[in-house]
């Protein structure tokens, strides 16, 4: 996400690179996750969710990487 778009979004938003790594997060996402940006960017969603949600999260990431918009 561009810095301007991240700032305009009031809903939590993350962007992922082609490997599924978090490339950027807006302020709402950082607040929801409860960790500083440097602890979020560069990690995967699976790193941020509990073990019980890792498989479900992986399906969302696969769909997002296939170009399908995702919403939780």
């Amino acid at each position: 996400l561009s810095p301007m778009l991240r700032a305009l979004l009031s809903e939590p938003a993350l962007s992922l690179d082609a490997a599924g790594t978090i490339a950027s997060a807006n302020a709402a996402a950082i607040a929801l996750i409860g960790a500083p940006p440097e602890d979020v960017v560069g990690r995967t969603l699976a790193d941020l969710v509990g073990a019980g949600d890792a498989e479900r999260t992986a399906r969302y990431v696969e769909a997002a990487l296939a170009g399908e918009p995702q919403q939780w």
Side-chain angles (χ1 to χ4, degrees), residues 6-30:
R6 278 197 313 270
L8 291 173
L9 291 172
S10 60
E11 295 292 320
L14 300 170
S15 64
L16 306 175
D17 66 16
T21 302
I22 298 169
S24 66
N26 70 352
I30 294 299

Side-chain angles (χ1 to χ4, degrees), residues 2-62:
S2 73
M4 184 180 358
L5 183 56
R6 278 197 313 270
L8 291 173
L9 291 172
S10 60
E11 295 292 320
L14 300 170
S15 64
L16 306 175
D17 66 16
T21 302
I22 298 169
S24 66
N26 70 352
I30 294 299
L32 178 66
I33 294 166
E38 59 271 13
D39 289 347
V40 175
V41 174
R43 297 179 72 187
T44 66
L45 287 177
D47 292 336
L48 301 176
V49 300
D53 288 329
E55 185 177 322
R56 181 172 59 103
T57 300
R59 288 193 302 268
Y60 279 108
V61 170
E62 288 173 14

